[in-house]
Amino acid sequence: MEKRTSCSVQTSTNCDNSLEILNSAHQATGAVQMRIKNANSHQDRQSQTKSMILTDPGKVTEPISRHRRNHSQHVLKDVIPPLEHPMVEKEGYLQKAKIADGGKKLRKNWSTSWIVLSGRKIEFYKDSKQQALPNMKTRHNVESVDLCGAHIEWAKEKSSKKSVFQITTVSGNEFLLQSDIDFLILDWFQAIKNAIDRLPKNPSCGSLELFNLQRSSNSELPSHGHIDRKEQKPEHRKSFMFRLHHSASDTSDKNRVKSRLKKFISRRPSLKTLQEKGIIKDQIFGSHLHTVCEREHSTVPWFVKQCIEAVEKRGLDVDGIYRVSGNLATIQKLRFIVNQEEKLNLDDSQWEDIHVVTGALKMFFRELSEPLFPYSFFERFVEAIKKQDSNEKIETMRSLVKRLPPPNHDTMKILFRHLTKIVAKASQNLMSTQSLGIVFGPTLLRAENESGNVAVHMVYQNQIAEFMLTEYDKIFSSEED
């Protein structure tokens, strides 16, 4: 009886415990159902509640980050590799002017910039403080030049300022850099030239512009950071097939054009025949001095005489004559007329700006296929100018001038005699022998191979032109008419 009673009590206790467990489970289920019902208006909580209920046992779920900034950082870290900051090779202040953007000419506007040369690029900052700013938004606004495939050259005709060189990029951007301190600008020129020479010559090498374009496209990734590479919209497939079809047709068109050009070239008359018929005329600009003089049956080109006569008639007392640049478009127009052998009257109103005439004369000498001082005489003139004794220097110069070919000798004599008249009016035109030496030195003589020290050559070029001008009477004394 006692056993039955204890069993009843135990059974009753177990039942009560079972009821409590069932009630607890029922309450828990009700609580979960209430959470699901109340979370209908909250998408995030509903997804969390459902995932908690539907998650398979033993499967570990990763925590869901709800912060968009964290997502973007992780996505950019995976997509864009961290940039390596190249070592700064040179930095400092220079005068800068951008004169072309993508091949489109811009108005020249000089400004002082803090310039940083590092690796394959040059960056232009307003000042040195901007470079040190940690703000990436500010750093992105900085203009940079990709030196891969770029070209650097001295550009005296592009500005009235002294010591100016130009950088031209493969994308068509053109920059002028300048400093009044000679050794500083020469140092910059050599540093940038060395940087360009180290880079591949192929203009299609990966440029900074291409990298910036890829970076900007990657920055527009969705905030959740998933890149679906498998899915491709139907219109994308169509556009791809369209491009593929047209690229094939373009190739066939190019091949057709090439074959027609080959047939035309094989049937075309020779250059000599076209010149005899007068269809193609010999150019004045860009030709050899001997060729021009031979065609004109003279030892001094007719165009040189015309320009000198016009300058002596109305330009001897003009401020900055031969130093100030004329309008380039008008100079090119004058160049075209001379090359076409049309009648030229420099007294016409369209050539009233005497700087256009002097600019065209300098361009004629600069574009000669061989300079007025022949390549074979360059080193001899350099050795002569190095001599310490003045009389010995004059005698060496006289000997070299006498041995020049007749067109070079006679043209040089007329030109330097004209320049002595410019110097005689230096009080009015402010052009000294030194100023004219700087203008005409690199124009009249240069080395055939500029692989040597450009800075040293420039110094000798200016000194030779200045000495020829200063000692004109002694060098050409025995030849005066």
Side-chain angles (χ1 to χ4, degrees):
M1 188 69 182
E2 289 177 359
K3 286 183 180 179
R4 186 177 300 173
T5 304
S6 62
C7 289
S8 301
V9 173
Q10 186 175 3
T11 304
S12 176
T13 303
N14 291 338
C15 290
D16 291 341
N17 291 337
S18 299
L19 286 173
E20 285 182 8
I21 291 171
L22 288 173
N23 288 334
S24 300
H26 181 70
Q27 289 175 359
T29 305
V32 172
Q33 289 175 350
M34 286 296 292
R35 289 184 65 186
I36 296 174
K37 183 176 181 180
N38 293 333
N40 286 334
S41 61
H42 303 284
Q43 190 68 25
D44 292 339
R45 292 186 60 188
Q46 182 182 3
S47 63
Q48 288 182 2
T49 306
K50 288 183 177 181
S51 64
M52 181 177 67
I53 295 173
L54 299 176
T55 302
D56 295 334
K59 183 178 180 181
V60 180
T61 58
E62 296 181 356
I64 301 174
S65 175
R66 293 293 167 186
H67 207 292
R68 291 180 178 271
R69 184 181 301 170
N70 294 338
H71 275 294
S72 62
Q73 289 175 354
H74 289 300
V75 171
L76 291 177
K77 188 181 296 182
D78 295 336
V79 176
I80 304 176
L83 295 176
E84 295 183 0
H85 297 284
M87 182 179 66
V88 174
E89 297 181 22
K90 191 170 181 60
E91 57 185 3
Y93 284 104
L94 288 179
Q95 292 290 319
K96 182 209 76 170
K98 187 174 184 179
I99 59 174
D101 186 5
K104 182 180 179 182
K105 296 297 181 183
L106 302 177
R107 184 176 180 180
K108 184 166 53 182
N109 187 17
W110 289 101
S111 62
T112 303
S113 297
W114 176 261
I115 301 177
V116 178
L117 171 63
S118 56
R120 57 175 290 167
K121 67 177 180 178
I122 298 177
E123 292 179 325
F124 300 110
Y125 298 89
K126 292 181 179 179
D127 49 41
S128 57
K129 296 180 181 178
Q130 186 185 10
Q131 180 194 4
L133 289 176
N135 189 351
M136 292 303 295
K137 184 177 180 181
T138 307
R139 297 290 295 271
H140 282 318
N141 295 330
V142 174
E143 189 170 23
S144 62
V145 177
D146 185 7
L147 296 178
C148 185
H151 177 66
I152 183 171
E153 61 181 349
W154 293 101
K156 299 178 182 62
E157 72 282 357
K158 296 291 181 71
S159 173
S160 59
K161 294 176 176 287
K162 73 169 188 175
S163 303
V164 180
F165 65 82
Q166 176 179 331
I167 301 174
T168 306
T169 67
V170 293
S171 58
N173 296 339
E174 297 178 9
F175 296 87
L176 297 180
L177 298 179
Q178 185 269 342
S179 174
D180 292 331
I181 305 174
D182 292 338
F183 74 88
L184 179 63
I185 195 67
L186 292 173
D187 195 22
W188 268 102
F189 181 90
Q190 200 61 41
I192 297 174
K193 187 176 185 300
N194 292 339
I196 293 175
D197 292 341
R198 288 196 303 266
L199 296 171
K201 301 299 181 185
N202 185 9
S204 63
C205 61
S207 63
L208 292 174
E209 290 86 353
L210 179 61
F211 171 75
N212 291 334
L213 180 63
Q214 292 174 344
R215 184 170 62 181
S216 62
S217 63
N218 287 337
S219 63
E220 296 176 0
L221 292 169
S223 60
H224 50 74
H226 296 291
I227 304 174
D228 192 354
R229 301 180 184 274
K230 296 181 180 179
E231 274 193 35
Q232 196 177 29
K233 293 184 179 180
E235 56 267 21
H236 290 171
R237 298 193 191 97
K238 290 180 181 178
S239 62
F240 173 74
M241 295 303 295
F242 178 81
R243 290 196 304 270
L244 187 63
H245 170 72
H246 276 264
S247 63
S249 62
D250 290 344
T251 304
S252 61
D253 290 341
K254 289 179 181 178
N255 293 333
R256 196 179 304 115
V257 171
K258 285 181 180 179
S259 62
R260 289 182 179 179
L261 282 174
K262 287 179 180 178
K263 291 180 182 178
F264 171 76
I265 292 172
S266 62
R267 293 197 307 265
R268 71 175 184 173
S270 64
L271 178 62
K272 185 177 180 180
T273 304
L274 294 175
Q275 288 175 343
E276 290 174 352
K277 292 183 178 180
I279 298 174
I280 294 180
K281 297 180 180 180
D282 292 329
Q283 303 288 301
I284 302 297
F285 283 76
S287 298
H288 196 284
L289 181 63
H290 175 76
T291 305
V292 176
C293 292
E294 189 178 43
R295 189 167 62 245
E296 297 179 359
H297 306 289
S298 173
T299 55
V300 180
W302 167 81
F303 177 67
V304 174
K305 295 178 181 178
Q306 288 279 94
C307 292
I308 289 176
E309 183 182 344
V311 174
E312 292 182 355
K313 185 177 180 180
R314 52 190 173 94
L316 288 178
D317 56 352
V318 174
D319 184 10
I321 191 72
Y322 284 112
R323 177 177 56 81
V324 178
S325 300
N327 183 276
L328 184 58
T330 312
I331 293 174
Q332 292 289 358
K333 182 180 179 182
L334 178 58
R335 179 180 186 270
F336 176 79
I337 291 175
V338 174
N339 276 336
Q340 295 300 313
E341 297 184 1
E342 298 181 12
K343 290 183 179 180
L344 177 64
N345 179 16
L346 292 179
D347 292 330
D348 193 280
S349 59
Q350 61 180 328
W351 320 122
E352 63 181 355
D353 183 5
I354 197 63
H355 298 303
V356 170
V357 179
T358 58
L361 181 61
K362 289 187 294 183
M363 182 181 286
F364 169 80
F365 284 113
R366 189 167 55 248
E367 292 187 359
L368 285 173
S369 58
E370 186 177 26
L372 184 61
F373 289 73
Y375 289 132
S376 58
F377 282 78
F378 178 78
E379 292 297 335
R380 302 184 211 177
F381 276 101
V382 170
E383 291 301 322
I385 202 65
K386 289 180 181 180
K387 294 182 181 295
Q388 298 298 323
D389 185 70
S390 179
N391 293 329
E392 186 181 358
K393 190 184 299 185
I394 292 173
E395 287 301 322
T396 308
M397 289 285 189
R398 285 182 60 184
S399 175
L400 289 173
V401 169
K402 284 182 180 179
R403 281 185 277 172
L404 289 172
N408 300 74
H409 175 276
D410 294 351
T411 304
M412 186 184 301
K413 181 178 178 181
I414 286 180
L415 176 63
F416 278 102
R417 183 169 60 192
H418 163 66
L419 294 180
T420 57
K421 298 178 182 180
I422 300 291
V423 175
K425 296 271 187 140
S427 59
Q428 300 174 38
N429 57 41
L430 304 179
M431 291 299 292
S432 62
T433 55
Q434 184 180 7
S435 301
L436 290 171
I438 293 173
V439 171
F440 280 95
T443 303
L444 300 180
L445 71 159
R446 59 183 179 271
E448 186 171 8
N449 298 318
E450 293 288 354
S451 57
N453 194 329
V454 179
V456 174
H457 285 171
M458 183 183 298
V459 172
Y460 290 138
Q461 288 165 348
N462 299 348
Q463 289 180 357
I464 293 170
E466 183 180 349
F467 186 80
M468 293 282 291
L469 185 56
T470 305
E471 304 297 339
Y472 171 82
D473 292 333
K474 295 179 181 179
I475 294 174
F476 294 95
S477 61
S478 62
E479 305 171 9
E480 291 295 337
D481 300 331

